Amino acid sequence: DRLSRYAAVKADSITDYRIRAGRPDEARILLLVDGYPAFRQEYESGHRMPTYELFQSIATDGRQAGIHVVLAADRMGAIPSSMSSVIQKWLMLRMANENDFTLAGVPADAFPPGSPAGRGWFEDREVQVAVLGGSTSAAGQAGAIAKMAAAARQRGIVPAPEIGSLPELIPLA
């Protein structure tokens, strides 16, 4: 839908579309896939293959329409070359297999013993991923997110629409 709308106004990016269509509120979409290897295993073959093909299409062509895909995997080999070729940026966090660091071009001594959680490498630089609120517990994270959302509402930021849960049973009809 977005690609068609963008083409109608001859826009080649979300920024260009916002200007040409007079839609400064066109939202970026962020699609997060945690545990990509399991997702791939479940959807890459059989009757779910069309869903996986749609996902690949979004990952390949979505960026120009303001749709960004973020994948999380526990090892380098978990992301096939067909998908890694469309990934523009990598954040490498600690992995179980140190050989993966070499494959990713990360120095072998990048993660010495005692490195804090969230230490990583991004674009040839050592980085530290922050933990919102300073607590890694689920309750601590939920509380920090609630405070951040309240502060955003006070500043007039419109909240994103709620994402509901799918029903547990869907009638065949």
Side-chain angles (χ1 to χ4, degrees):
D1 174 59
R2 282 183 170 220
L3 291 176
S4 297
R5 288 188 290 118
Y6 287 30
V9 296
K10 298 178 177 49
D12 59 3
S13 69
I14 187 171
T15 304
D16 198 21
Y17 177 79
R18 287 171 173 167
I19 295 166
R20 291 175 182 265
R23 296 278 315 268
D25 60 338
E26 178 80 344
R28 288 189 185 274
I29 296 173
L30 184 60
L31 173 59
L32 305 171
V33 181
D34 190 11
Y36 174 75
F39 168 76
R40 179 180 174 211
Q41 184 176 353
E42 285 291 319
Y43 286 86
E44 191 176 35
S45 61
H47 69 282
R48 293 179 172 171
M49 184 66 173
T51 301
Y52 188 76
E53 289 172 346
L54 177 60
F55 167 75
Q56 283 186 302
S57 174
I58 291 168
T60 302
D61 301 323
R63 185 171 179 263
Q64 67 189 25
I67 303 171
H68 306 279
V69 178
V70 177
L71 303 178
D74 58 356
R75 62 192 188 290
M76 287 294 295
I79 300 177
S81 59
S82 61
M83 186 60 67
S84 65
S85 65
V86 301
I87 296 174
Q88 295 185 340
K89 296 187 185 280
W90 293 80
L91 169 62
M92 174 71 74
L93 299 174
R94 184 185 312 274
M95 299 185 115
N97 185 348
E98 291 186 13
N99 293 331
D100 283 339
F101 299 135
T102 305
L103 290 172
V106 175
D109 62 349
F111 299 95
S115 294
R119 182 63 45 93
W121 283 82
F122 181 73
E123 295 183 345
D124 299 326
R125 293 192 175 153
E126 187 174 4
V127 298
Q128 180 66 44
V129 178
V131 175
L132 187 62
S135 171
T136 58
S137 73
Q141 287 290 290
I145 290 169
K147 285 181 184 177
M148 184 176 73
R153 280 191 300 276
Q154 287 177 344
R155 291 188 178 107
I157 296 172
V158 178
E162 183 176 331
I163 300 172
S165 296
L166 293 173
E168 289 187 31
L169 295 174
I170 301 174
L172 186 58

